[in-house]
């Protein structure tokens, strides 16, 4: 079983240029271009079904569901922390 990482970025979530980045640790067979395309399709379907009411968590849930359907194990790495100094 192979460990791979996928970075999900929800761009400009607040209209002021703020991006939300979450990283998934994925275990299983190699992730192919086809796998990525199906993840994108799952997210687009979620957005279309929830027009105007979708959120980042729902998109991540759709991605995780698609990966799990394909036999992958998904764990989410803690959201990024910010340290200002």
């Amino acid at each position: 079983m192979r460990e791979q990482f996928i970075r999900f970025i929800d761009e400009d979530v607040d209209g002021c240029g703020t991006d939300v980045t979450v990283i998934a640790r994925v275990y299983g067979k190699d992730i192919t271009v086809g796998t990525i395309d199906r993840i994108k399709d799952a997210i687009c379907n979620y957005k279309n079904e929830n027009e105007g009411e979708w959120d980042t968590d729902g998109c991540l849930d759709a991605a995780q569901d698609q990966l799990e359907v394909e036999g992958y194990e998904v764990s989410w790495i803690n959201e990024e922390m910010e340290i200002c100094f």
Side-chain angles (χ1 to χ4, degrees):
M1 191 156 52
R2 183 169 176 203
E3 178 183 65
Q4 300 163 89
F5 297 89
I6 301 174
R7 182 187 342 241
F8 291 89
I9 303 170
D10 191 355
E11 296 178 325
D12 194 21
V13 294
D14 60 0
C16 295
T18 302
D19 298 342
V20 173
T21 302
V22 180
I23 299 173
R25 178 181 293 146
V26 182
Y27 296 96
K29 59 189 179 197
D30 285 343
I31 295 173
T32 64
V33 171
T35 305
I36 297 299
D37 288 342
R38 289 186 294 277
I39 293 168
K40 288 179 181 179
D41 288 344
I43 292 169
C44 285
N45 289 338
Y46 164 75
K47 286 180 168 182
N48 289 336
E49 291 170 4
N50 297 281
E51 188 177 329
E53 298 295 322
W54 62 268
D55 60 13
T56 302
D57 289 337
C59 291
L60 296 174
D61 290 342
Q64 182 171 353
D65 290 345
Q66 180 62 41
L67 284 162
E68 289 175 348
V69 162
E70 295 192 27
Y72 295 95
E73 183 182 321
V74 180
S75 62
W76 299 97
I77 296 176
N78 290 340
E79 294 182 23
E80 292 183 11
M81 302 285 178
E82 185 173 308
I83 299 174
C84 298
F85 57 94

